Amino acid sequence: MEIGRVNLTGLTGEELNGFVSSLGQPAYRARQIFAGIHGRRLRSFDEMTDLPKELRAALGERSLVSTLTLESRYLSTDGTRRYLFKTHDHLPVETVFIPEERRDTICFSSQSGCPLQCTFCLTAQLGLLRNLTAGEIVEQIIFAWNDAYGVGVKLPRGTNLVGMGAGEPFLNFEELMKGIRIMKEPDGLHIVPNRVTVSTAGIVPRIHELATIPDRPHLAVSLAAPTDELRNELMPINKKWPLEELLSACKAFEMSLKPNERMTFEYVMLAGVNDADEQARQLANLLNRHDLRAKVNLIPHNPAEPLPYQPSSMERVETFREILESKGVHGFVRRPRGRDILAACGQLAARSTPGRAVMS
Ligand code: SAH
């Protein structure tokens, strides 16, 4: 938030009502402003021409509706777009827009940088800069939609939202859930919770908490290793919440699943590190021992200097998947997107990728 000014994009409809009435304005003004920000996806008061000029000026003195500024926009040969923003306090925020045939996916960030030290992820190298606010989370989605389709233009297809950008969403739980609540409002962005997935490296208490939230997003959990020994090395957070505790929490979370809902485990495939036949068997046994009705997404490692790993070959990934299947665990191979512009999983580190920067 800018000194003394409140970011209205981070307020729920109810909070916005309170703010507007504190200015001595009637409630319908709050509805107009909410519709302006979230329904019409406007990023300044000047564009809200349905508000009297004096009101726009009064609003501008105390508040604002956009705080992120675009620094660079990168376009991949596969159509993926990566946005690098700066917050008002000059910290990097990255968002990825991934068009697919029948739907789009927006991958948003929950933190600037990340405090976790997963050895295969480039974001780790930034360290934690700070948590993002609900407003900064919502702004990412508004901006990406406007860039892809035009300001306020009705979306041609559905969008999946994934909290898999920079940061650990469950270490910024309150603002994350608030952002999702704001985006759900029907006269705003009208995101269906069923289209939202948040991914965690395994913050166990928040997995329990998420289970209690009505209309919650889907859960994905990053595993990366089938044993504590290897996971301690790849994802040091495992020393705090080891696999038994993590999978017990996942088992408890299962109680909150809807009939057709599955939770997802993500498994980044690192050549010669975690992709052997034996490790596929260990992974299947681990999930079966906890009796989890989950699916496993196998993500070939997205390499980036100076990460010390190579992606597993496609044959290796496929064999790994077949071993999981032979033991009754459903595995899916994820196709990497946006690798050429450092937009793929684990590549967000506010880097520029010269030559492909496209500014609008
Ligand atoms: N902190 C959260 C969300 C961000 S990471 C989490 O850990 O789940 C999103 C996904 O990308 C995770 O499953 C993570 O394991 C994976 N990932 C990280 N670095 C990667 C890389 N270099 N290549 C492929 N996947 C990676």
Side-chain angles (χ1 to χ4, degrees):
M1 220 142 297
E2 250 172 42
I3 322 297
R5 288 206 285 173
V6 46
N7 183 4
L8 301 189
T9 306
L11 302 189
T12 62
E14 214 177 301
E15 287 172 341
L16 190 61
N17 270 334
F19 175 78
V20 165
S21 80
S22 78
L23 299 181
Q25 293 287 327
Y28 75 91
R29 293 290 185 209
R31 285 196 296 276
Q32 275 180 311
I33 297 167
F34 193 88
I37 300 172
H38 304 279
R40 300 163 64 200
R41 306 199 300 265
L42 303 177
R43 301 188 76 244
S44 74
F45 295 121
D46 285 345
E47 296 162 274
M48 299 185 193
T49 46
D50 51 340
L51 303 177
K53 231 176 161 175
E54 311 75 65
L55 176 56
R56 283 186 262 152
L59 285 165
E61 272 168 31
R62 295 171 184 78
S63 62
L64 66 185
V65 289
S66 60
T67 61
L68 296 181
T69 48
L70 183 68
E71 187 139 293
S72 315
R73 193 179 77 132
Y74 302 95
L75 191 57
S76 163
T77 49
D78 70 13
T80 299
R81 296 166 187 222
R82 174 167 68 99
Y83 308 103
L84 171 59
F85 302 102
K86 281 269 180 292
T87 60
H88 69 89
D89 49 351
H90 313 293
L91 300 175
V93 173
E94 283 171 292
T95 311
V96 180
F97 180 86
I98 309 154
E100 280 157 297
E101 244 163 63
R102 290 163 58 193
R103 67 199 149 91
D104 300 317
T105 299
I106 297 175
C107 179
F108 64 90
S109 295
S110 52
Q111 299 182 311
S112 179
C114 183
L116 303 184
Q117 294 182 328
C118 305
T119 55
F120 47 83
C121 180
L122 205 59
T123 312
Q125 316 226 338
L126 294 176
L128 176 65
L129 300 169
R130 74 164 163 80
N131 278 341
L132 299 183
T133 62
E136 289 165 335
I137 291 172
V138 177
E139 274 187 56
Q140 294 176 58
I141 284 80
I142 292 178
F143 191 98
W145 269 344
N146 283 349
D147 183 66
Y149 296 118
V151 176
V153 173
K154 194 169 177 295
L155 306 171
R157 48 196 164 171
T159 302
N160 290 337
L161 287 191
V162 296
M164 299 186 185
E168 168 49 48
F170 282 9
L171 292 177
N172 187 18
F173 196 78
E174 292 303 316
E175 292 296 304
L176 167 79
M177 295 311 295
K178 185 179 182 193
I180 293 174
R181 263 197 331 272
I182 293 169
M183 293 192 278
K184 263 179 10 195
E185 301 208 20
D187 50 347
L189 297 177
H190 204 178
I191 286 281
V192 192
N194 198 28
R195 292 268 196 184
V196 186
T197 302
V198 287
S199 175
T200 180
I203 311 298
V204 163
R206 297 288 89 76
I207 294 176
H208 289 297
E209 187 172 348
L210 183 68
T212 66
I213 294 178
D215 240 7
R216 57 158 179 73
H218 299 297
L219 176 66
V221 175
S222 303
L223 284 184
T227 61
D228 280 325
E229 196 189 358
L230 182 59
R231 200 166 185 269
N232 283 343
E233 201 183 296
L234 300 178
M235 300 179 69
I237 191 73
N238 191 68
K239 294 178 195 152
K240 188 151 184 190
W241 289 291
L243 282 168
E244 280 305 308
E245 258 183 76
L246 175 57
L247 294 178
S248 303
C250 293
K251 185 64 197 166
F253 185 84
E254 243 188 23
M255 304 282 287
S256 75
L257 292 181
K258 304 226 173 70
N260 287 320
E261 191 186 356
R262 294 276 179 283
M263 50 176 301
T264 310
F265 290 107
E266 296 149 286
Y267 193 95
V268 50
M269 300 282 295
L270 310 166
V273 174
N274 66 357
D275 64 349
D277 290 357
E278 176 59 14
Q279 287 160 320
R281 285 190 286 272
Q282 287 173 332
L283 177 60
N285 291 343
L286 181 71
L287 297 177
N288 286 335
R289 189 149 35 83
H290 285 85
D291 189 26
L292 282 159
R293 66 175 161 103
K295 57 177 183 169
V296 177
N297 278 345
L298 300 172
I299 316 175
H301 174 62
N302 297 307
E305 283 289 325
L307 301 178
Y309 304 104
Q310 289 305 315
S312 310
S313 70
M314 270 316 183
E315 297 80 58
R316 187 85 302 266
V317 177
E318 186 51 29
T319 306
F320 196 95
R321 192 190 68 79
E322 282 164 15
I323 295 172
L324 294 182
E325 291 282 346
S326 74
K327 290 176 159 284
V329 173
H330 293 306
F332 299 85
V333 179
R334 302 311 303 243
R335 195 163 48 106
R337 298 289 304 262
R339 265 185 186 171
D340 56 336
I341 53 162
L342 291 180
C345 300
Q347 293 188 315
L348 301 183
R351 289 203 185 156
S352 57
T353 40
R356 294 194 192 81
V358 187
M359 297 294 292
S360 36

